[in-house]
Amino acid sequence: MTAAERQPDPEVEVRRSRRRRRTISAFREGERIVVVVPATLTDAEVADEVRAMVGRIERAEARSQPSEDDLLLRARRLSDRYLGGLADPLSVRWVDNQQSRWGSCTPGDRTIRLSSRLRGMPSWVVDYVLVHELAHLLVAGHDADFWAWVAHYPQAERAKGYLLGYSSASQMDPPPGESEDVIEG
Ligand SMILES: [Zn+2]
């Protein structure tokens, strides 16, 4: 994995517990990872533990990411729920070669591709990109009709903000929408 593909460090909150002697635990709380450590650890020890625990959580989350069959089912469900079932994708694939896009769509063969950089992101963010690309099966461009469809997904604005923050933190391109995602077809 190159530096450019690496995800930015997640937000981490360290909680020092006086009751703990040795045990260290970590869990996801929204977009943040909370690491609970004994109050007796030094800052250097805490930094090591945080690195290890964050790595462990991110690897576990990457393993639990949906397969492409799962993604297709999920896309169809999202279409039913938010797009009146009108968007009917044939395949949804993870791709590694989309450095500047979160997703893309080819209406001609009804295929959707998601950047593998979305792996490990919260499911509501992945769902936003899916809804966005599904909406391109209905409307090719980013006009008012297009955004009216996307707005049926309740977390659209929040997810756009999340991806925008991620993009600027990692100096990547902005989320799909305003300018850059390309409809091939
Ligand atoms: Zn788009």
Side-chain angles (χ1 to χ4, degrees), residues 68-93 104-114 127 129-138:
E68 291 176 342
D69 286 347
D70 293 339
L71 279 180
L72 181 59
L73 276 180
R74 197 156 138 189
R76 287 183 172 148
R77 235 175 270 138
L78 289 166
S79 172
D80 285 345
R81 189 141 177 214
Y82 301 114
L83 305 174
L86 295 174
D88 182 20
L90 271 185
S91 76
V92 181
R93 283 184 293 127
S104 63
C105 168
T106 307
D109 60 9
R110 297 173 11 235
T111 57
I112 288 173
R113 287 160 302 280
L114 296 185
D127 283 353
V129 179
L130 276 173
V131 169
H132 183 112
E133 300 307 331
L134 285 165
H136 279 312
L137 294 178
L138 308 179

Side-chain angles (χ1 to χ4, degrees), residues 103 132-133 136 140-142 146-147 176-178 180-183:
H132 183 112
E133 300 307 331
H136 279 312
H142 294 117
F146 173 81
W147 289 114
E178 280 59 37
E180 93 306 334
D181 87 321
V182 173
I183 315 308

